[in-house]
Every structure is written in C-alpha cells, then in structure tokens.
Amino acid sequence: MNIIAIMRPEGAYYKEEPIRELDSALTLLGFQIIYPRDRADLLKLIENNARICGAIFDWDQHSEELCTEINELNEYLPLYAFINTHSTLDVDVNEMRMVLYFFEYALSAADDIAKRVRQYTDEYIDTITPPLTKALFTYVEEGKYTFCTPGHMAGTAFLKSPVGTLFYDFFGAKTLKADVSISVTELGSLLDHTGPHLEAEEYIARTFGSEQSYIVTNGTSTANKIVGMYAAPAGSTVLIDRNCHKSLAHLMMMTNIVPVYLRPNRNAYGILGGIPQREFTRESIEEKIAQTANASWPVHAVITNSTYDGLLYNTDYIKNTLDVPSIHFDSAWVPYTNFHPIYDGKSGMSGERIPGKVIYETQSTHKLLAAFSQASMIHIKGDYNESTFNEAYMMHTTTSPNYGIVASAETAAAMLRGNPGRRLINRSVERALHFRKEIQRLREETDGWFFDIWQPEHIDEAECWPLDPDQNWHGFANADADHMYLDPIKVTILTPGMNEMGKLEEEGIPAALVAKFLDERGVVVEKTGPYNLLFLFSIGIDKTKSMSLMRGLTDFKRSYDLNLRVKNMLPDLYAEDPDFYRNMRIHDLAQGIHKLIVRHDLPRLMLEAFDVLPEMKMTPYEMFQHQVRGHIDECDIDELIGKVSANMILPYPPGVPVVMPGEMITEESRAVLDFLIMLCSIGERYPGFETDIHGTRLTEDGRYLVKILKLPEAQ
C-alpha cells in the first residue's frame, strides 16, 4: 500500500517544480507515484486500486467537490491539497471531518512534506487495520523466538526438509510466521475473549450491528452447534427448518432434543423455497407438538436464511410471530446483508432487539466475503448468559486456533466498514444485475434456444425481488405476500427442458451436462439441479470471471447446436467410460437423460418427496446412541421402506436432508424413496452422472447401501 496519486497542477512553473521535487522525495521513501490525466481518471483509479494510500491535488483547481467525491469512495483516504499565498481556504465543517491536509507550494520543502505524507500514510494504515490483525502483524514483524507450539517454529522446520521447502515457498514466510501459539500473551485469548481477541469481537459486533459477536475458526457447521448446545437443553423441544444444513442434524445427534420440523416449499425446478407464514403461527406449532411424541412447547427455533438458492425472509415477521424464547438464523450464505439497503429487514441482526427474545445469527464469513476457509461468526442480540454460552463455545472450539483464520474474519469485517464496504457490496449487486441483463439480451437476440434465468421479467433496479403470490416466474404455489425475496447476487441459470409452470418439455438439456462442460473450461458451478445452475456473484467476482462464465455458456450452445461427439465436447466425461461414449453425440446424451427424467416425472417426485415427511421412530440422538453401540445393519436403498434409517440421507441436488436419523420411510412417504431411486438410476444408466447421496455407500457394482437400525432379535 504505497501508491500516491498526484494531479499535476496546470500552467505555473512555481507549482510544477515543487511537485517534481516531492515526486523524488516520495520515491526515496518507497512510494510509487502515478499521475491521473484528470479528475475522472483519479476517481476511477481510487475506485479500482485499493493500494492507493493518498491523493495530492491543487486546491485552486479542485477543492471541495473533488474531496467530497473521493470521500464517498473512501472516507479514510488521506487527501493532500497544495495551496499558495493567494488561495482561498473556504473550508466548511464537513471538510474539516475529512482526512485533509494542506501544504504550500515552496521549493526545497519536499523532504519535510514527504515525511509528513509517510506519517499520515502510517496513520491511515493504522486506522483501517482492525485490532487483532494489527497485533498479529506487529508480533510477526518483531520476530520473537518461541519455545512453544506450533512445531514448525514460524516455518523454520520446513526449511530443514526438501519437501518442506516446497511447502514454505508455496505458502510464504509471513503466512507461517503468523501461525502462532495460544501462548502468545500479547495477542490475548480466543477462548477467554481477552486482549486483541476481545477487541476484534467488539469491532465485529459494531460492524455487523449485533450486541455481541464471536469468531469461530472451524466454520458455521461448528457455529450452529455452539448456538444449539447453549439454547436447547437436553429433553427440550426445538423448531427446526427441514431445509437445515446437515450440521444441525449432527447437533440433534449430539444432544437429546426433540425436533419439530418447519416444512419449507419447493418448486418444480427443485429450488429450495421458504417456510410458509402459517408454519410460524402458534396454531400450527400446537398441531405439530400434538403429533410428535414427547414434544413440549419449543424453547428455540432454527431458520435457514437465506436458502441455498438465495431466498431471504422478511425476518421481522418471524421475530415477532414465533412465540419462542430464542431464534437462530442460519445465515451462512449471506454475511453481507448489513451493508446494503436492499437487505433491510431481511437479516437476523436487522432492527432493534425483541423484548423477551434472543436472536442469534451465524454467518460463514469465508463463503461470500474475503476470509480464509472456516472463518465464521456468531452474532447475538438480546440477553443471554455469557459464561454459560462460552462453555458451549469452548466445547467446540480448538485450544489451538489458527490466528490467520481469526485475522481474516476480522479483516473481512474491516473491509465492510464505511463507504468502501458499502461500495464493495454495491458493486457485487451491480455486477450480478449486469450479468442477468446480458443473459436476457442474449436470449432475446439468439436464434433458437438459449439459457434463461430465474427472476422476474423486469429487473431494472437493484433490489431483492419479492415472490409475489400473483406472479408465476418463481414457481411456488401459494406464496405469501411480503415474505420471501430473491437475492440478486444468487444467479440461477435455467436450461431448456422445463417451463415456468414445472411441466417437462419434449426435449431438454439437463443442467449436469452444462456443469461438466463449464468445469472442463475452468468455471465451477456452485450447485446443479435438474435444469438449473446456481452461480454466486460474491465480492471476489470481477468482469473477467463474469465474462468467462458468459463465454462458457455461449460456447456450450455453439457446441451443442453442432451436435459434437461427447469425446470432443466433454473429454473428461468420455475418459470415464470410453466404450460407452465412443460414438455418442451430445444430443443423444442430453435427450437420453432428459427422457429418463420424463419417465420418472422428476418434478412430481421432488415435490412429493418433500411434501410428506418420513415417520420419526426415535430422535436423532437416540438413533446415534444405537449406532455407536453397533446396533446397525445395511440394506439396499430400494429396500428401505419399513426400516429405520441410522443416518441422515441427503442427496445433491437439492442438498438438504430427505431422511433424518431415526426416521422410517413408510408407504405414505414412499415418494421419498422413489425420488432417491430415480436419482440413482441416472448414474446406473450414464457413467459419470452418479448422484452424490450422503448417508449411503456406493459399491463397485453400483449399489447404494444404507445403514439401518438392527432389529432387536438380531442385536
């Protein structure tokens, strides 16, 4: 961060020569100097180059208006205005709040001015660097010798081995020096929440609008368990979104709670919808409790917000309607909702505290912000017992946290503060909106077929689009007004084969083909459904990546229209079974899979599979206790009816559990099994298209085996 932008003064030698001297003085201090052509060029440079640490300009030429424009981009950036003895200093109160310094044009003053610029630059870096990260940087620079863990000793151990040196050179010296022990007292403690760690959590809480925040170094899977272990005592009843992440199923296997499920909608595309408003009412919950053995009034509720496909709730409605002491919003996929007005009222931490309730929000900082993998946060609003909560926190948190992960979570928060943060999220929304419009344009201009996009017909402005009950585009029957909203940065591309009413067409292109084509060209899809592909336009997506995706889609259409051979269009797929794909063309493959989907009527199967839940014979906790005692057998998946599943069964797509541990598929819920068998049949017929079904074991001969409860006489 050593770039200074200088706007050249115009038309006077007495101004040009001091600037030339200052250029030389700043260069000697290690600064890189750039000269924008004009004001617009300067603003674009500041907007697109985060390493610029100051701007120098002539006050008579630019003054207040330029300062305001730069301040809207980065209110922390130091500005240096050069004046002469006749300059008018009409500085108002607003400008005095800016980081604005004045220097006079004078010869032989450059060294002193450069030293001041160095000082103010250091202050700027100190201002924008959050506390734990600052302390970690300082510790690394001090280069202390330690006689504690980790054993690589700031990377020194790696340098004693040939393969170790490869590792050292790849990751870099500072990454390894920052991997320090919890014994480093000046960094405080993540477990006791002291020192710079405490400052970091307070800093994050202020940034994200919570009353208390915690950094979690092993993902939101762990954050979810921490909240659940504290909020739901053994024997209590908990409302759980059936859309839940598998970490919550694991929570239920760890602690003896009684789950009562809130059932979300699905559409024919397999896109995960939200929980209808009626499910949150007292009457609906009373009905569920009456139908669940050992259930009592719930003490806690867990809601997935947003869904995997980018649907956000009106969280104010849920907070005020759900009659439970605490509500946990699993917001793993939306750690940015506090930083753009289109998300107001759609996040866990939005609004004021709710009297008598505690609101928790867990977020995967690493998923869509700039942080290392496993960096996660817990935000809390409301009264809770900090000491007891920290016991639950320490149950799941390692005593040897990776400080790089902690610092990256804090840095992600720092990046979102102020105008630079709002601009980051706004740019992400704008890039997604531009991409959506480009897909629409290409669809309108292209002869024959082209990809569609899951969104309302008109998307002129950046907003979260409501799933209005009187519109058909979203495909959700009986949608509630002012309840669910589509996040613009979650972009779902639709392939031909199914119309918006969920009816299968005569011909189609299954999305898995497109995903494989893109993957072979370096573009990885986040999630693939039968006829849809999900792409995340996070803050790290730039125009280069966006255009690569656009080119990949257009290249697929061109190749598909030419009906190329599979071995030429999808060489990696061909390599999986050359004999099977030797003479096959892409049309044959696409229509073969499509007809299999039509034969099984996949849209109907998906809807029915999630409409009737399997019968809960025992809680997930009770089932896991049987499993660890060895009271389990295996059976083929098509023999699962009437047997109690020992594991959670979770197919991708759609990526949420269809069977929980301790549940039994009965004739009434047979659609669940038919859905799973249909997914298996595609892989049996077409090599390379095997379905990933968690909770099953795929044998070499293509059988899917499931763990089940062993009958008592066989135990």
Side-chain angles (χ1 to χ4, degrees):
M1 188 174 284
N2 282 302
I3 302 175
I4 297 287
I6 300 179
M7 295 285 289
R8 291 185 186 277
E10 297 176 0
Y13 177 77
Y14 81 90
K15 294 181 178 180
E16 293 173 359
E17 183 59 18
I19 293 296
R20 187 190 65 77
E21 291 182 355
L22 180 57
D23 182 313
S24 299
L26 288 171
T27 301
L28 286 173
L29 291 181
F31 288 98
Q32 176 187 345
I33 311 302
I34 58 174
Y35 288 91
R37 295 187 182 91
D38 51 34
R39 189 169 85 185
D41 194 27
L42 171 64
L43 293 171
K44 283 294 182 186
L45 282 166
I46 293 172
E47 183 176 6
N48 294 297
N49 193 327
R51 293 186 181 277
I52 291 177
C53 59
I56 298 172
F57 58 92
D58 184 273
W59 180 256
D60 294 334
Q61 289 178 262
H62 300 288
S63 66
E64 179 182 2
E65 188 175 350
L66 178 62
C67 292
T68 301
E69 289 175 318
I70 294 175
N71 210 245
E72 288 175 356
L73 296 174
N74 184 354
E75 67 267 46
Y76 310 112
L77 187 72
L79 307 178
Y80 307 101
F82 271 78
I83 57 176
N84 58 54
T85 53
H86 305 293
S87 296
T88 303
L89 286 177
D90 51 346
V91 182
D92 61 24
V93 173
N94 183 53
E95 285 166 346
M96 292 304 291
R97 292 197 187 101
M98 298 179 184
V99 189
L100 177 61
Y101 305 99
F102 290 93
F103 299 114
E104 282 198 45
Y105 288 111
L107 294 175
S108 303
D111 288 343
D112 287 339
I113 294 173
K115 289 176 184 176
R116 289 286 186 89
V117 171
R118 176 76 272 169
Q119 174 192 338
Y120 297 143
T121 300
D122 292 342
E123 290 175 2
Y124 166 61
I125 293 171
D126 186 71
T127 298
I128 65 173
T129 307
L132 184 278
T133 303
K134 188 185 303 179
L136 184 60
F137 287 178
T138 300
Y139 177 82
V140 169
E141 293 300 331
E142 286 175 349
K144 290 184 177 180
Y145 292 118
T146 67
F147 289 83
C148 51
T149 62
H152 62 71
M153 294 293 168
T156 305
F158 290 111
L159 296 175
K160 298 181 178 181
S161 158
V163 68
T165 59
L166 297 175
F167 186 91
Y168 184 97
D169 293 343
F170 183 86
F171 283 100
K174 288 192 174 179
T175 299
L176 298 169
K177 289 177 181 177
D179 184 23
V180 299
S181 169
I182 199 169
S183 303
V184 178
T185 55
E186 55 260 60
L187 296 180
S189 170
L190 180 67
L191 301 179
D192 296 334
H193 312 283
T194 58
H197 279 93
L198 173 61
E199 294 175 42
E201 289 174 339
E202 291 173 341
Y203 180 95
I204 288 168
R206 291 193 300 271
T207 304
F208 284 84
S210 72
E211 295 173 5
Q212 180 68 51
S213 292
Y214 293 84
I215 299 168
V216 180
T217 57
N218 35 347
T220 301
S221 295
T222 292
N224 288 342
K225 294 168 194 166
I226 292 169
V227 172
M229 290 291 284
Y230 169 78
S236 63
T237 298
V238 177
L239 291 171
I240 295 186
D241 187 347
R242 189 71 183 197
N243 248 8
C244 70
H245 185 259
K246 62 184 180 182
S247 60
L248 290 157
H250 289 144
L251 168 69
M252 291 187 283
M253 295 164 70
M254 294 167 63
T255 183
N256 193 15
I257 57 178
V258 179
V260 171
Y261 295 109
L262 300 169
R263 289 193 293 173
N265 290 325
R266 299 289 187 284
N267 67 10
Y269 283 112
I271 291 173
L272 309 178
I275 301 164
Q277 285 184 340
R278 183 187 179 280
E279 293 271 304
F280 297 110
T281 64
R282 188 173 186 90
E283 295 75 19
S284 174
I285 296 169
E286 285 174 344
E287 288 176 18
K288 294 175 185 292
I289 291 171
Q291 297 165 4
T292 306
N294 301 317
S296 56
W297 191 257
V299 300
H300 183 59
V302 185
I303 313 296
T304 307
N305 185 54
S306 79
T307 67
Y308 205 154
D309 299 280
L311 295 181
L312 291 154
Y313 287 95
N314 172 355
T315 55
D316 291 341
Y317 171 85
I318 297 173
K319 293 174 191 175
N320 288 291
T321 303
L322 258 184
D323 188 11
V324 293
S326 62
I327 303 172
H328 168 199
F329 291 99
D330 178 359
S331 301
W333 294 92
V334 283
Y336 48 82
T337 48
N338 197 47
F339 307 98
H340 197 292
I342 67 172
Y343 301 111
D344 287 348
K346 300 175 182 68
S347 70
M349 290 298 105
S350 64
E352 300 301 319
R353 60 158 55 194
I354 306 296
K357 293 183 182 178
V358 184
I359 307 299
Y360 302 93
E361 187 166 39
T362 52
Q363 297 176 342
S364 292
T365 319
H366 67 96
K367 276 189 167 70
L368 286 141
L369 299 181
F372 287 165
S373 290
Q374 300 187 39
S376 182
M377 296 177 186
I378 301 172
H379 305 300
I380 305 176
K381 189 171 284 186
D383 296 323
Y384 71 106
N385 188 309
E386 291 186 30
S387 175
T388 305
F389 186 90
N390 199 53
E391 287 298 318
Y393 179 85
M394 290 193 293
M395 283 181 199
H396 296 278
T397 303
T398 175
T399 54
S400 302
N402 184 296
Y403 281 39
I405 295 176
V406 179
S408 76
E410 183 193 47
T411 298
M415 290 173 64
L416 294 175
R417 288 169 72 89
N419 292 336
R422 285 187 287 273
R423 182 163 51 87
L424 267 179
I425 303 303
N426 189 54
R427 284 285 181 264
S428 182
V429 173
E430 287 178 349
R431 278 191 292 271
L433 194 64
H434 176 75
F435 180 83
R436 289 172 177 274
K437 290 180 177 179
E438 283 298 293
I439 291 291
Q440 281 186 323
R441 181 185 65 78
L442 288 170
R443 182 173 173 80
E444 291 168 2
E445 295 176 358
T446 301
D447 293 332
W449 73 275
F450 195 66
F451 299 96
D452 203 351
I453 198 159
W454 189 62
Q455 62 188 20
E457 185 177 351
H458 302 292
I459 55 162
D460 296 329
E461 301 295 329
E463 61 177 311
C464 289
W465 299 292
L467 273 59
D468 287 333
D470 57 351
Q471 294 181 349
N472 293 326
W473 66 268
H474 50 76
F476 291 103
N478 305 314
D480 296 305
D482 191 29
H483 184 51
M484 301 296 300
Y485 300 83
L486 175 60
D487 185 346
I489 75 162
K490 309 290 178 62
V491 178
T492 297
I493 297 293
L494 305 177
T495 64
M498 183 185 294
N499 64 28
E500 67 178 15
M501 303 305 293
K503 299 297 183 184
L504 290 167
E505 297 172 340
E506 187 175 338
E507 294 187 356
I509 304 175
L513 291 180
V514 185
K516 288 184 180 294
F517 181 88
L518 293 174
D519 188 68
E520 293 194 18
R521 284 149 186 81
V523 177
V524 180
V525 180
E526 172 57 38
K527 181 175 81 76
T528 304
Y531 297 96
N532 54 84
L533 306 124
L534 175 65
F535 300 91
L536 309 178
F537 276 68
S538 66
I539 60 175
I541 296 296
D542 55 21
K543 274 193 173 179
T544 300
K545 295 182 176 70
S546 178
M547 289 306 297
S548 295
L549 172 56
M550 191 79 71
R551 180 175 294 279
L553 295 173
T554 55
D555 285 349
F556 179 90
K557 173 186 165 49
R558 190 177 303 113
S559 300
Y560 185 85
D561 288 348
L562 291 171
N563 196 19
L564 298 181
R565 293 183 185 276
V566 170
K567 68 177 180 180
N568 296 325
M569 189 171 171
L570 299 169
D572 289 352
L573 177 64
Y574 171 78
E576 292 200 31
D577 197 327
D579 291 336
F580 182 82
Y581 290 114
R582 190 169 307 282
N583 297 311
M584 187 179 292
R585 292 186 179 272
I586 194 67
H587 283 190
D588 299 327
L589 177 57
Q591 298 320 308
I593 298 176
H594 178 68
K595 287 175 181 176
L596 197 56
I597 290 171
V598 171
R599 187 188 317 149
H600 288 276
D601 195 2
L602 178 60
R604 177 189 61 79
L605 270 184
M606 279 197 297
L607 290 174
E608 291 181 1
F610 292 101
D611 187 49
V612 180
L613 298 184
E615 185 178 337
M616 186 168 72
K617 291 296 186 179
M618 60 185 70
T619 66
Y621 173 84
E622 291 167 338
M623 183 63 249
F624 186 64
Q625 295 307 305
H626 281 291
Q627 188 168 170
V628 295
R629 290 182 171 91
H631 301 164
I632 55 170
D633 268 331
E634 276 190 326
C635 74
D636 284 287
I637 196 168
D638 56 4
E639 299 172 355
L640 195 53
I641 286 185
K643 298 179 177 66
V644 179
S645 176
N647 285 339
M648 165 179 42
I649 301 177
L650 184 148
Y652 283 92
V656 295
V658 293
V659 182
M660 288 289 189
E663 289 184 340
M664 174 192 289
I665 297 177
T666 62
E667 285 297 334
E668 185 183 5
S669 55
R670 186 184 185 92
V672 175
L673 181 59
D674 292 340
F675 172 58
L676 293 171
I677 291 172
M678 183 266 155
L679 295 177
C680 297
S681 68
I682 295 176
E684 291 172 359
R685 178 68 180 85
Y686 293 97
F689 290 91
E690 293 79 12
T691 300
D692 181 13
I693 304 179
H694 290 202
T696 68
R697 180 169 65 89
L698 181 59
T699 64
E700 291 184 2
D701 58 355
R703 297 162 61 211
Y704 285 86
L705 300 180
V706 182
K707 288 182 180 179
I708 58 172
L709 177 66
K710 186 182 292 185
L711 294 175
E713 60 269 20
Q715 289 182 11

